[in-house]
């Protein structure tokens, strides 16, 4: 069984360093071979690509732009009336993905509009999302890119987020029916919404193009105190034959590098993936 491949989410890790290029360097020095970044758009794509190259990292995931964060937007994929802005954001994401050699783009669904009732707008939002996803799948396929759907928990993190369970995301993927759209499984969100991780990992892993991890409920390192038994979950992902990346999207409880003991001990135990795997 191949060991898991881990990716440093530099939007979360290495907050000790200002700016993404410095964080990428820190990730490379810590032994990572891959990195992901939520929103790279404040940096020039060429500068970011150079920083990743110099750090010996490949970029494996970026998100579509959030929209107008001042107005409380967090993605636009399912937001009625924002279709044009979603498509513009998608073009920007594709531009960055190409410049960065990044194969995956998380297509953010966005939030139920302020003041609207979730149940009342659910079907309209799903219709908008399906249209946008069909469009996105075509645009991404032209560049051999994969689009990802990530359910985000609505109990703690984002009460108004539209896409919040693996079941909802899988049903939408089935309706769109495009092979280059896949599921992004953040075990932090999945545990909070549904638990039943062993069953859900086994059921949904065939649809999964990317995994992310953090402890529950504090969202710290996998070995920080909390509900999740990561040695078991990592073993389960290996046993089920997962070959994608596992993104470290957590909030370091102290110094990022000191907090990577869990990863160093995983590498000591399981070895590291061979380059190119």
């Amino acid at each position: 069984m191949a060991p898991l491949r881990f990716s440093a989410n530099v939007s979360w890790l290495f907050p000790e360093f200002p700016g993404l290029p410095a964080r990428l360097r820190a990730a490379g020095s810590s032994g990572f071979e891959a990195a992901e970044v939520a929103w790279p758009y404040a940096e020039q794509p060429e500068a970011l690509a150079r920083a990743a190259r110099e750090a010996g990292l490949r970029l494996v995931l970026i998100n579509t732009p959030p929209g107008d964060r001042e107005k409380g937007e967090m993605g636009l994929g399912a937001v009625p009336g924002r279709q044009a802005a979603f498509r513009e954001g998608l073009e920007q994401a594709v531009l960055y993905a190409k410049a960065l050699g990044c194969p995956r783009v998380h297509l953010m669904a966005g939030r139920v509009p302020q003041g609207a009732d979730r149940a009342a707008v659910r079907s309209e939002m799903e219709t908008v999302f399906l249209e946008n996803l069909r469009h996105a799948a075509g645009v991404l396929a032209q560049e051999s890119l994969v689009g990802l759907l990530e359910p985000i928990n609505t109990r703690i993190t984002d009460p108004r987020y539209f896409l919040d369970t693996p079941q909802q995301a899988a049903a939408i993927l089935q309706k769109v029916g495009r092979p280059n759209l896949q599921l992004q499984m953040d075990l932090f969100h999945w545990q909070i919404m549904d638990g039943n991780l062993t069953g859900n990992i086994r059921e949904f892993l065939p649809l999964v193009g990317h995994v992310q991890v953090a402890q529950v409920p504090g969202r710290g390192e996998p070995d920080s105190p909390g509900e999740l038994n990561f040695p078991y979950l990592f073993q389960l992902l290996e046993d089920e034959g997962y070959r994608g990346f596992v993104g470290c999207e957590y909030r370091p409880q102290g110094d990022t590098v000191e907090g990577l003991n869990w990863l160093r001990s995983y590498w000591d135990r399981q070895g590291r993936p061979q380059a190119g795997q």
Side-chain angles (χ1 to χ4, degrees):
M1 258 160 321
L4 297 173
R5 305 183 295 171
F6 289 91
S7 156
N9 189 313
V10 292
S11 301
W12 290 72
L13 301 191
F14 306 104
E16 302 86 353
F17 298 93
L20 294 175
R23 292 182 182 195
L24 289 169
R25 281 194 290 278
S29 310
S30 306
F32 283 100
E33 294 164 57
E36 56 197 69
V37 55
W39 296 308
Y41 306 108
E43 313 269 350
Q44 288 304 310
E46 291 73 21
L48 217 48
R50 191 168 55 247
R53 224 174 17 251
E54 286 167 1
L57 295 168
R58 53 175 156 163
L59 278 155
V60 297
L61 176 71
I62 61 173
N63 295 353
T64 49
D68 189 341
R69 295 189 75 184
E70 306 257 302
K71 290 187 177 150
E73 290 184 326
M74 181 57 78
L76 301 170
V79 182
R82 296 289 274 145
Q83 288 92 325
F86 171 78
R87 290 178 182 209
E88 263 169 50
L90 176 69
E91 297 299 333
Q92 193 183 16
V94 167
L95 187 91
Y96 271 75
K98 283 168 67 178
L100 299 170
C102 175
R104 289 169 211 85
V105 177
H106 166 206
L107 305 168
M108 298 196 74
R111 292 173 171 156
V112 172
Q114 204 93 42
D117 172 64
R118 176 181 292 272
V121 297
R122 186 180 179 119
S123 119
E124 183 194 359
M125 288 188 75
E126 183 174 298
T127 301
V128 169
F129 203 22
L130 291 172
E131 279 172 20
N132 280 335
L133 290 173
R134 287 189 188 104
H135 169 79
V139 170
L140 294 169
Q142 286 174 344
E143 307 294 345
S144 304
L145 299 172
V146 166
L148 297 171
L149 271 58
E150 180 189 19
I152 292 176
N153 83 78
T154 46
R155 291 202 163 120
I156 297 177
T157 303
D158 197 338
R160 286 178 26 241
Y161 205 74
F162 171 69
L163 191 70
D164 66 350
T165 67
Q167 291 80 4
Q168 181 193 8
I172 285 171
L173 283 174
Q174 195 177 2
K175 287 178 188 173
V176 180
R178 299 293 167 88
N180 68 326
L181 297 186
Q182 297 171 356
L183 193 51
Q184 182 168 319
M185 172 168 77
D186 187 328
L187 293 173
F188 171 78
H189 296 307
W190 288 33
Q191 167 68 2
I192 289 168
M193 289 309 292
D194 201 52
N196 186 31
L197 288 181
T198 302
N200 282 340
I201 287 170
R202 287 191 174 134
E203 178 179 353
F204 295 111
L205 202 61
L207 303 175
V208 169
H210 192 72
V211 170
Q212 290 174 326
V213 295
Q215 188 53 274
V216 176
R219 212 167 187 179
E221 283 87 351
D223 63 347
S224 59
E227 296 171 18
L228 296 184
N229 174 356
F230 274 102
Y232 167 81
L233 292 169
F234 291 154
Q235 188 63 56
L236 178 61
L237 287 171
E238 285 175 40
D239 292 347
E240 294 294 317
Y242 178 65
R243 288 280 182 277
F245 284 92
V246 177
C248 304
E249 185 177 280
Y250 59 76
R251 200 175 288 111
Q253 304 296 284
D255 178 79
T256 301
V257 175
E258 282 172 25
L260 287 169
N261 280 336
W262 66 272
L263 182 54
R264 287 187 284 270
S265 69
Y266 178 89
W267 282 334
D268 290 344
R269 208 170 51 249
Q270 303 299 87
R272 295 187 183 217
Q274 298 310 300
Q277 266 189 355

